[in-house]
Amino acid sequence: MANAMLQQTVGGTLQLLSNSGTHCNVGNRSVRLLPKGFKLEVEFSKRGIYSSGKRKFNVIQASTSQTSVVGPLLAPSSSDTVDSHMKSNEVALILIRHGESLWNEKNLFTGCVDVPLTNKGVEEAIEAGHRISNIPVDMIYTSSLIRAQMTAMLAMTQHRRKKVPIILHNEDERARAWSKIYSEDTIEQSIPVITSWKLNERMYGELQGLNKQETAGKFGHEKVHEWRRSYDIPPPNGESLEMCAQRAVAYFRDNIEPQLLSGKNILISAHGNSLRSIIMYLDKLTSQEVITLELSTGIPMLYIFKEGKFIRRGSPVAPTEAGVYAYTRRLAQYRQKLDDMLT
């Protein structure tokens, strides 16, 4: 039965033509060091600072009696509560392509123009939230574009744990000071959201804002198809998929993968091309295979990161479907704890 349910949940969301740090202990804390060029400072209090280049993030330590979100790279204290992190040998990675935007609706090239969701896009984001409502999320990464951020925020309104996603503003000292939270209880019921332009949709250059059908009529269907679907040919003054992949995959390796290695469950809300690039890396696809990859808007993809490998699990169907929770024992246990605590 479990296998049958698994087959039902995997199909229909991803089309693919072929299947082709260091640790140290500080007191009783386990710390993972970032790659060269990154710095980690830990304070022995309830709060700490994580610094990556010029960006600093609050590090939030779990109490022994309450569930919590643990900030980047600081290991949680031992706890058997519902949000205690899955062991580092198995964590969840969720990818969501944003819902329909206003320019998707108008059939315009959008690229890096910052356009919000349509009503349909809002509904797609909420449906995505239903699908992941029983999967643990410790940190959220989005692009700098509002449609990806809206999708992540709306999706998390449906999560059964009811933690609040909070965008971290680290542009300067004033931004950090003005957005500081002074309640430990509130911090522990929050999820940090980190935004980066490196997860943006690929920049479509001089095509941005143009109607796709009219552009095909002007330049020819073959030329526009080449710009849209080739791997290494960019549109005029824009990015190719290869160029988009260089920044998106580098960001994933340098910033997100260390969090997975440290035991964090991660949600990424981004765009068709930046997510295709990341999936190319996760599934070890060739440049020819990735151009055949299609991602539906608002449909989450679940990966399990276990023993240094990414295992694609398809898309969760809905909170009432048991199949997705049979993917791993830990996800099933997490859902059971939610049921016990919240029902």
Side-chain angles (χ1 to χ4, degrees), residues 41-73:
E41 302 171 357
V42 178
E43 296 179 0
F44 294 98
S45 64
K46 285 283 186 179
R47 302 295 296 277
I49 296 295
Y50 163 67
S51 177
S52 173
K54 296 182 180 180
R55 297 173 64 84
K56 292 185 177 180
F57 308 124
N58 287 332
V59 175
I60 307 160
Q61 177 184 330
S63 69
T64 57
S65 60
Q66 299 185 27
T67 59
S68 66
V69 171
V70 178
L73 303 189

mmCIF file of all heavy atoms in Angstrom, residues 41-73:
data_model
loop_
_atom_site.group_PDB
_atom_site.id
_atom_site.type_symbol
_atom_site.label_atom_id
_atom_site.label_comp_id
_atom_site.label_asym_id
_atom_site.label_seq_id
_atom_site.Cartn_x
_atom_site.Cartn_y
_atom_site.Cartn_z
ATOM 1 N N GLU A 41 30.341 33.795 14.985
ATOM 2 C CA GLU A 41 30.556 34.244 16.340
ATOM 3 C C GLU A 41 29.426 33.706 17.201
ATOM 4 O O GLU A 41 28.267 33.822 16.849
ATOM 5 C CB GLU A 41 30.525 35.781 16.410
ATOM 6 C CG GLU A 41 31.559 36.431 15.502
ATOM 7 C CD GLU A 41 31.366 37.932 15.406
ATOM 8 O OE1 GLU A 41 30.389 38.439 16.008
ATOM 9 O OE2 GLU A 41 32.174 38.580 14.746
ATOM 10 N N VAL A 42 29.751 33.112 18.330
ATOM 11 C CA VAL A 42 28.737 32.529 19.200
ATOM 12 C C VAL A 42 28.847 33.149 20.574
ATOM 13 O O VAL A 42 29.924 33.201 21.164
ATOM 14 C CB VAL A 42 28.915 30.995 19.306
ATOM 15 C CG1 VAL A 42 27.890 30.419 20.252
ATOM 16 C CG2 VAL A 42 28.804 30.358 17.939
ATOM 17 N N GLU A 43 27.739 33.627 21.112
ATOM 18 C CA GLU A 43 27.682 34.135 22.465
ATOM 19 C C GLU A 43 27.021 33.105 23.358
ATOM 20 O O GLU A 43 26.076 32.448 22.961
ATOM 21 C CB GLU A 43 26.857 35.433 22.520
ATOM 22 C CG GLU A 43 27.481 36.564 21.741
ATOM 23 C CD GLU A 43 26.632 37.815 21.803
ATOM 24 O OE1 GLU A 43 25.573 37.756 22.448
ATOM 25 O OE2 GLU A 43 27.032 38.828 21.241
ATOM 26 N N PHE A 44 27.501 32.961 24.581
ATOM 27 C CA PHE A 44 26.947 31.963 25.482
ATOM 28 C C PHE A 44 25.793 32.554 26.270
ATOM 29 O O PHE A 44 25.828 32.703 27.482
ATOM 30 C CB PHE A 44 28.042 31.427 26.412
ATOM 31 C CG PHE A 44 29.089 30.673 25.663
ATOM 32 C CD1 PHE A 44 30.284 31.264 25.294
ATOM 33 C CD2 PHE A 44 28.854 29.367 25.270
ATOM 34 C CE1 PHE A 44 31.220 30.559 24.579
ATOM 35 C CE2 PHE A 44 29.795 28.651 24.542
ATOM 36 C CZ PHE A 44 30.984 29.260 24.209
ATOM 37 N N SER A 45 24.771 32.904 25.539
ATOM 38 C CA SER A 45 23.549 33.417 26.138
ATOM 39 C C SER A 45 22.421 32.906 25.277
ATOM 40 O O SER A 45 22.610 32.076 24.410
ATOM 41 C CB SER A 45 23.572 34.955 26.157
ATOM 42 O OG SER A 45 23.596 35.445 24.842
ATOM 43 N N LYS A 46 21.230 33.419 25.483
ATOM 44 C CA LYS A 46 20.100 32.984 24.674
ATOM 45 C C LYS A 46 20.243 33.411 23.221
ATOM 46 O O LYS A 46 19.602 32.874 22.346
ATOM 47 C CB LYS A 46 18.791 33.560 25.234
ATOM 48 C CG LYS A 46 18.326 32.876 26.486
ATOM 49 C CD LYS A 46 17.697 31.549 26.158
ATOM 50 C CE LYS A 46 17.077 30.895 27.361
ATOM 51 N NZ LYS A 46 16.453 29.620 27.034
ATOM 52 N N ARG A 47 21.068 34.426 22.963
ATOM 53 C CA ARG A 47 21.161 34.955 21.606
ATOM 54 C C ARG A 47 22.587 34.888 21.111
ATOM 55 O O ARG A 47 23.547 34.891 21.870
ATOM 56 C CB ARG A 47 20.695 36.432 21.576
ATOM 57 C CG ARG A 47 19.283 36.627 22.063
ATOM 58 C CD ARG A 47 18.291 35.948 21.130
ATOM 59 N NE ARG A 47 18.324 36.544 19.822
ATOM 60 C CZ ARG A 47 17.663 37.654 19.509
ATOM 61 N NH1 ARG A 47 16.918 38.252 20.384
ATOM 62 N NH2 ARG A 47 17.738 38.141 18.294
ATOM 63 N N GLY A 48 22.790 34.887 19.825
ATOM 64 C CA GLY A 48 24.115 34.915 19.232
ATOM 65 C C GLY A 48 24.050 35.619 17.909
ATOM 66 O O GLY A 48 22.995 36.097 17.501
ATOM 67 N N ILE A 49 25.174 35.696 17.223
ATOM 68 C CA ILE A 49 25.205 36.341 15.917
ATOM 69 C C ILE A 49 25.864 35.402 14.927
ATOM 70 O O ILE A 49 26.910 34.824 15.197
ATOM 71 C CB ILE A 49 26.000 37.665 15.973
ATOM 72 C CG1 ILE A 49 25.292 38.660 16.896
ATOM 73 C CG2 ILE A 49 26.177 38.250 14.575
ATOM 74 C CD1 ILE A 49 23.948 39.087 16.397
ATOM 75 N N TYR A 50 25.221 35.261 13.795
ATOM 76 C CA TYR A 50 25.821 34.522 12.683
ATOM 77 C C TYR A 50 26.181 35.547 11.628
ATOM 78 O O TYR A 50 25.343 36.328 11.214
ATOM 79 C CB TYR A 50 24.810 33.509 12.119
ATOM 80 C CG TYR A 50 25.145 32.999 10.755
ATOM 81 C CD1 TYR A 50 26.264 32.205 10.568
ATOM 82 C CD2 TYR A 50 24.345 33.313 9.661
ATOM 83 C CE1 TYR A 50 26.571 31.722 9.316
ATOM 84 C CE2 TYR A 50 24.658 32.824 8.409
ATOM 85 C CZ TYR A 50 25.775 32.038 8.243
ATOM 86 O OH TYR A 50 26.068 31.557 7.006
ATOM 87 N N SER A 51 27.412 35.543 11.200
ATOM 88 C CA SER A 51 27.868 36.540 10.240
ATOM 89 C C SER A 51 28.375 35.871 8.989
ATOM 90 O O SER A 51 29.202 34.985 9.047
ATOM 91 C CB SER A 51 28.987 37.383 10.849
ATOM 92 O OG SER A 51 29.476 38.298 9.894
ATOM 93 N N SER A 52 27.841 36.274 7.837
ATOM 94 C CA SER A 52 28.299 35.757 6.548
ATOM 95 C C SER A 52 28.631 36.944 5.676
ATOM 96 O O SER A 52 27.747 37.604 5.156
ATOM 97 C CB SER A 52 27.200 34.901 5.902
ATOM 98 O OG SER A 52 27.551 34.532 4.610
ATOM 99 N N GLY A 53 29.921 37.251 5.550
ATOM 100 C CA GLY A 53 30.285 38.456 4.832
ATOM 101 C C GLY A 53 29.788 39.656 5.606
ATOM 102 O O GLY A 53 30.093 39.837 6.767
ATOM 103 N N LYS A 54 28.945 40.466 4.957
ATOM 104 C CA LYS A 54 28.402 41.648 5.605
ATOM 105 C C LYS A 54 27.037 41.401 6.204
ATOM 106 O O LYS A 54 26.450 42.267 6.804
ATOM 107 C CB LYS A 54 28.317 42.795 4.596
ATOM 108 C CG LYS A 54 29.677 43.259 4.074
ATOM 109 C CD LYS A 54 29.515 44.419 3.121
ATOM 110 C CE LYS A 54 30.854 44.899 2.603
ATOM 111 N NZ LYS A 54 30.708 46.035 1.663
ATOM 112 N N ARG A 55 26.509 40.183 6.030
ATOM 113 C CA ARG A 55 25.164 39.893 6.500
ATOM 114 C C ARG A 55 25.234 39.198 7.844
ATOM 115 O O ARG A 55 26.012 38.289 8.045
ATOM 116 C CB ARG A 55 24.419 39.001 5.501
ATOM 117 C CG ARG A 55 24.212 39.652 4.159
ATOM 118 C CD ARG A 55 23.630 38.664 3.192
ATOM 119 N NE ARG A 55 22.311 38.234 3.609
ATOM 120 C CZ ARG A 55 21.198 38.883 3.355
ATOM 121 N NH1 ARG A 55 21.227 40.000 2.697
ATOM 122 N NH2 ARG A 55 20.039 38.413 3.754
ATOM 123 N N LYS A 56 24.402 39.603 8.787
ATOM 124 C CA LYS A 56 24.374 38.968 10.098
ATOM 125 C C LYS A 56 22.963 38.508 10.407
ATOM 126 O O LYS A 56 21.999 39.203 10.150
ATOM 127 C CB LYS A 56 24.836 39.940 11.183
ATOM 128 C CG LYS A 56 26.315 40.295 11.092
ATOM 129 C CD LYS A 56 26.735 41.153 12.271
ATOM 130 C CE LYS A 56 28.224 41.449 12.234
ATOM 131 N NZ LYS A 56 28.648 42.276 13.380
ATOM 132 N N PHE A 57 22.864 37.321 10.989
ATOM 133 C CA PHE A 57 21.571 36.760 11.318
ATOM 134 C C PHE A 57 21.541 36.404 12.788
ATOM 135 O O PHE A 57 22.528 35.936 13.340
ATOM 136 C CB PHE A 57 21.287 35.495 10.498
ATOM 137 C CG PHE A 57 21.463 35.683 9.028
ATOM 138 C CD1 PHE A 57 22.328 34.885 8.307
ATOM 139 C CD2 PHE A 57 20.772 36.686 8.380
ATOM 140 C CE1 PHE A 57 22.486 35.069 6.949
ATOM 141 C CE2 PHE A 57 20.920 36.871 7.020
ATOM 142 C CZ PHE A 57 21.777 36.073 6.317
ATOM 143 N N ASN A 58 20.419 36.610 13.429
ATOM 144 C CA ASN A 58 20.274 36.185 14.806
ATOM 145 C C ASN A 58 20.378 34.670 14.908
ATOM 146 O O ASN A 58 19.850 33.944 14.085
ATOM 147 C CB ASN A 58 18.916 36.618 15.358
ATOM 148 C CG ASN A 58 18.872 38.095 15.614
ATOM 149 O OD1 ASN A 58 19.903 38.708 15.882
ATOM 150 N ND2 ASN A 58 17.696 38.688 15.523
ATOM 151 N N VAL A 59 21.057 34.193 15.935
ATOM 152 C CA VAL A 59 21.133 32.772 16.226
ATOM 153 C C VAL A 59 20.296 32.538 17.467
ATOM 154 O O VAL A 59 20.505 33.151 18.503
ATOM 155 C CB VAL A 59 22.595 32.340 16.486
ATOM 156 C CG1 VAL A 59 22.636 30.892 16.912
ATOM 157 C CG2 VAL A 59 23.427 32.543 15.237
ATOM 158 N N ILE A 60 19.314 31.667 17.351
ATOM 159 C CA ILE A 60 18.334 31.497 18.413
ATOM 160 C C ILE A 60 18.509 30.130 19.035
ATOM 161 O O ILE A 60 18.431 29.117 18.358
ATOM 162 C CB ILE A 60 16.909 31.653 17.860
ATOM 163 C CG1 ILE A 60 16.816 32.988 17.112
ATOM 164 C CG2 ILE A 60 15.878 31.568 18.962
ATOM 165 C CD1 ILE A 60 15.664 33.034 16.151
ATOM 166 N N GLN A 61 18.765 30.082 20.316
ATOM 167 C CA GLN A 61 19.009 28.820 21.003
ATOM 168 C C GLN A 61 17.710 28.262 21.551
ATOM 169 O O GLN A 61 16.898 28.972 22.124
ATOM 170 C CB GLN A 61 20.003 29.055 22.150
ATOM 171 C CG GLN A 61 20.269 27.813 22.983
ATOM 172 C CD GLN A 61 21.172 28.130 24.139
ATOM 173 O OE1 GLN A 61 21.995 29.026 24.055
ATOM 174 N NE2 GLN A 61 21.020 27.403 25.209
ATOM 175 N N ALA A 62 17.519 26.956 21.385
ATOM 176 C CA ALA A 62 16.300 26.318 21.872
ATOM 177 C C ALA A 62 16.347 26.167 23.373
ATOM 178 O O ALA A 62 17.383 25.849 23.945
ATOM 179 C CB ALA A 62 16.148 24.944 21.234
ATOM 180 N N SER A 63 15.225 26.398 24.024
ATOM 181 C CA SER A 63 15.118 26.063 25.434
ATOM 182 C C SER A 63 14.780 24.596 25.548
ATOM 183 O O SER A 63 14.388 23.947 24.593
ATOM 184 C CB SER A 63 14.014 26.898 26.086
ATOM 185 O OG SER A 63 12.763 26.495 25.592
ATOM 186 N N THR A 64 14.905 24.039 26.721
ATOM 187 C CA THR A 64 14.649 22.611 26.892
ATOM 188 C C THR A 64 13.178 22.318 27.060
ATOM 189 O O THR A 64 12.767 21.176 26.984
ATOM 190 C CB THR A 64 15.390 22.093 28.133
ATOM 191 O OG1 THR A 64 14.972 22.859 29.269
ATOM 192 C CG2 THR A 64 16.889 22.213 27.951
ATOM 193 N N SER A 65 12.357 23.341 27.219
ATOM 194 C CA SER A 65 10.949 23.086 27.489
ATOM 195 C C SER A 65 10.015 23.548 26.395
ATOM 196 O O SER A 65 8.835 23.260 26.440
ATOM 197 C CB SER A 65 10.543 23.786 28.799
ATOM 198 O OG SER A 65 10.741 25.180 28.688
ATOM 199 N N GLN A 66 10.532 24.314 25.412
ATOM 200 C CA GLN A 66 9.658 24.825 24.369
ATOM 201 C C GLN A 66 10.237 24.500 23.002
ATOM 202 O O GLN A 66 11.443 24.385 22.830
ATOM 203 C CB GLN A 66 9.512 26.355 24.483
ATOM 204 C CG GLN A 66 8.894 26.782 25.803
ATOM 205 C CD GLN A 66 8.653 28.271 25.812
ATOM 206 O OE1 GLN A 66 8.463 28.870 24.772
ATOM 207 N NE2 GLN A 66 8.656 28.867 26.975
ATOM 208 N N THR A 67 9.349 24.378 22.021
ATOM 209 C CA THR A 67 9.816 24.189 20.655
ATOM 210 C C THR A 67 10.397 25.493 20.142
ATOM 211 O O THR A 67 10.063 26.567 20.634
ATOM 212 C CB THR A 67 8.650 23.764 19.754
ATOM 213 O OG1 THR A 67 7.646 24.778 19.807
ATOM 214 C CG2 THR A 67 8.083 22.443 20.198
ATOM 215 N N SER A 68 11.285 25.406 19.157
ATOM 216 C CA SER A 68 11.965 26.622 18.737
ATOM 217 C C SER A 68 12.467 26.508 17.318
ATOM 218 O O SER A 68 12.526 25.435 16.736
ATOM 219 C CB SER A 68 13.144 26.917 19.663
ATOM 220 O OG SER A 68 14.124 25.908 19.521
ATOM 221 N N VAL A 69 12.861 27.661 16.791
ATOM 222 C CA VAL A 69 13.611 27.719 15.555
ATOM 223 C C VAL A 69 15.043 27.985 15.945
ATOM 224 O O VAL A 69 15.328 28.861 16.743
ATOM 225 C CB VAL A 69 13.113 28.872 14.666
ATOM 226 C CG1 VAL A 69 14.048 29.061 13.492
ATOM 227 C CG2 VAL A 69 11.718 28.590 14.189
ATOM 228 N N VAL A 70 15.963 27.244 15.385
ATOM 229 C CA VAL A 70 17.363 27.443 15.689
ATOM 230 C C VAL A 70 18.007 28.139 14.518
ATOM 231 O O VAL A 70 17.858 27.723 13.380
ATOM 232 C CB VAL A 70 18.053 26.087 15.964
ATOM 233 C CG1 VAL A 70 19.538 26.294 16.233
ATOM 234 C CG2 VAL A 70 17.381 25.416 17.149
ATOM 235 N N GLY A 71 18.724 29.209 14.790
ATOM 236 C CA GLY A 71 19.324 30.001 13.736
ATOM 237 C C GLY A 71 20.461 29.268 13.060
ATOM 238 O O GLY A 71 20.848 28.189 13.460
ATOM 239 N N PRO A 72 21.025 29.864 12.018
ATOM 240 C CA PRO A 72 22.010 29.189 11.193
ATOM 241 C C PRO A 72 23.189 28.643 11.973
ATOM 242 O O PRO A 72 23.816 29.335 12.748
ATOM 243 C CB PRO A 72 22.456 30.298 10.219
ATOM 244 C CG PRO A 72 21.267 31.194 10.147
ATOM 245 C CD PRO A 72 20.681 31.184 11.525
ATOM 246 N N LEU A 73 23.468 27.363 11.754
ATOM 247 C CA LEU A 73 24.686 26.687 12.125
ATOM 248 C C LEU A 73 24.893 26.488 13.616
ATOM 249 O O LEU A 73 25.933 25.998 14.009
ATOM 250 C CB LEU A 73 25.904 27.434 11.552
ATOM 251 C CG LEU A 73 25.850 27.579 10.038
ATOM 252 C CD1 LEU A 73 27.167 28.122 9.537
ATOM 253 C CD2 LEU A 73 25.554 26.262 9.366
#
